[in-house]
Amino acid sequence: SQGPQPVVVPNLIGMTQAQARTTLGALGLLVQVNPQTIEVGPDLNGLVAAQLPSPGGQVDPGAVITVTLGQAPATTTTTTQP
């Protein structure tokens, strides 16, 4: 008998961590969040900025997809909160 059908890895870039978890869960995949962040522009701040395996690859059900969240560099303007 054949093993489980492979699952195509979705593109998670630009999703929130929760959206990525929901999307992967619906496909029977697991998510692992990389403790490191990568520097991104403000449009990807706090969102998924990188993933392994890459979108479009095929994995077995239950595989773990590692996502890396983006972190925009801190602005140099100093604002004091009231």
Side-chain angles (χ1 to χ4, degrees):
S1 68
Q2 286 189 310
Q5 287 288 97
V7 178
V8 176
V9 179
N11 185 357
L12 305 172
I13 307 299
M15 288 188 182
T16 65
Q17 194 176 322
Q19 287 171 325
R21 183 171 278 117
T22 301
T23 300
L24 293 175
L27 296 171
L29 301 176
L30 303 173
V31 65
Q32 176 178 337
V33 178
N34 185 340
Q36 302 291 317
T37 57
I38 55 178
E39 193 171 301
V40 294
D43 53 328
L44 280 177
N45 187 36
L47 301 177
V48 175
Q51 68 180 87
L52 274 176
S54 300
Q58 292 196 335
V59 295
D60 289 330
V64 175
I65 310 300
T66 301
V67 298
T68 304
L69 300 177
Q71 171 110 35
T75 53
T76 51
T77 54
T78 55
T79 53
T80 53
Q81 294 294 330

